[in-house]
Amino acid sequence: KTHMHERNIELREWKKLFSLDNAPAAVLALTAFLAPIFFMPSAFVAFQFSKAVMVAVGVVVALLLYIVQTLKNGRLDIPRSPVFIVALIVPLVYLLSSFFSTSTRMSLIGYGYETNTFAFTLIYILAMFLAATLFQTKKKVFYVYALFFLSFLVLAAFHVSRFFFGA
């Protein structure tokens, strides 16, 4: 009976890990893990573009999952910090600046991978909001740091192997 009870607890833990409640945080954590090491070498697409698209897709998917989770749970948790009020102003300033720019389209979205556009500034602010909302426990923050450090180790191993065995 004890073995069956332990197995049920283990099964509940796995279900909880892959539940909708953890999905936005998992997607954002995976994005943080992949961002430093993600590149798609191609003659047709610059690697900066593929990295920017990966980060943007990760943040948007996490945001959509967060919206679904919020609608399902019926409550919205918004961090109450003056930093977020100021952070909301930043994309608005970028948007206004884009409209008064000589090249509105380039200021709004650029070629798709520039980080100094309205679109990417909005992605960064959404990532900041989601990170502050989704990673509020020490355990979740630890996992994100661990994933980021693991990403560093993968990247370091790649470069060390390139150093010793050539490009």
Side-chain angles (χ1 to χ4, degrees):
K1 190 171 184 174
T2 307
H3 177 66
M4 188 64 122
H5 179 68
E6 288 175 10
R7 193 168 171 186
N8 284 340
I9 291 174
E10 197 174 294
L11 186 61
R12 269 188 257 133
E13 288 297 317
W14 275 102
K15 284 182 179 179
K16 185 178 173 186
L17 181 65
F18 293 104
S19 70
L20 179 61
D21 291 337
N22 286 329
V27 169
L28 200 60
L30 182 64
T31 303
F33 170 74
L34 290 175
I37 59 175
F38 187 82
F39 61 93
M40 301 270 297
S42 168
F44 305 107
V45 178
F47 81 93
Q48 300 97 328
F49 180 75
S50 60
K51 188 178 287 236
V53 168
M54 189 275 305
V55 169
V57 167
V59 171
V60 169
V61 168
L63 177 66
L64 292 174
L65 288 169
Y66 177 72
I67 290 169
V68 169
Q69 172 192 16
T70 300
L71 292 173
K72 179 184 161 231
N73 294 340
R75 68 182 164 85
L76 177 64
D77 295 325
I78 298 176
R80 292 174 182 21
S81 169
V83 171
F84 288 101
I85 295 168
V86 174
L88 290 174
I89 294 170
V90 173
L92 291 175
V93 170
Y94 265 81
L95 183 62
L96 283 172
S97 172
S98 295
F99 287 133
F100 292 107
S101 172
T102 56
S103 177
T104 303
R105 186 182 99 45
M106 292 300 289
S107 295
L108 286 172
I109 58 172
Y111 290 111
Y113 59 85
E114 296 92 354
T115 57
N116 198 22
T117 62
F118 164 73
F120 231 82
T121 302
L122 184 62
I123 292 291
Y124 288 148
I125 296 300
L126 288 173
M128 181 187 81
F129 167 76
L130 287 170
T133 304
L134 299 172
F135 304 126
Q136 291 185 355
T137 65
K138 287 181 181 180
K139 186 177 179 181
K140 286 185 178 181
V141 171
F142 173 77
Y143 286 142
V144 172
Y145 278 134
L147 280 173
F148 201 66
F149 185 70
L150 182 63
S151 178
F152 162 75
L153 291 177
V154 169
L155 194 59
F158 172 73
H159 284 295
V160 166
S161 69
R162 283 187 62 193
F163 178 75
F164 287 114
F165 303 115

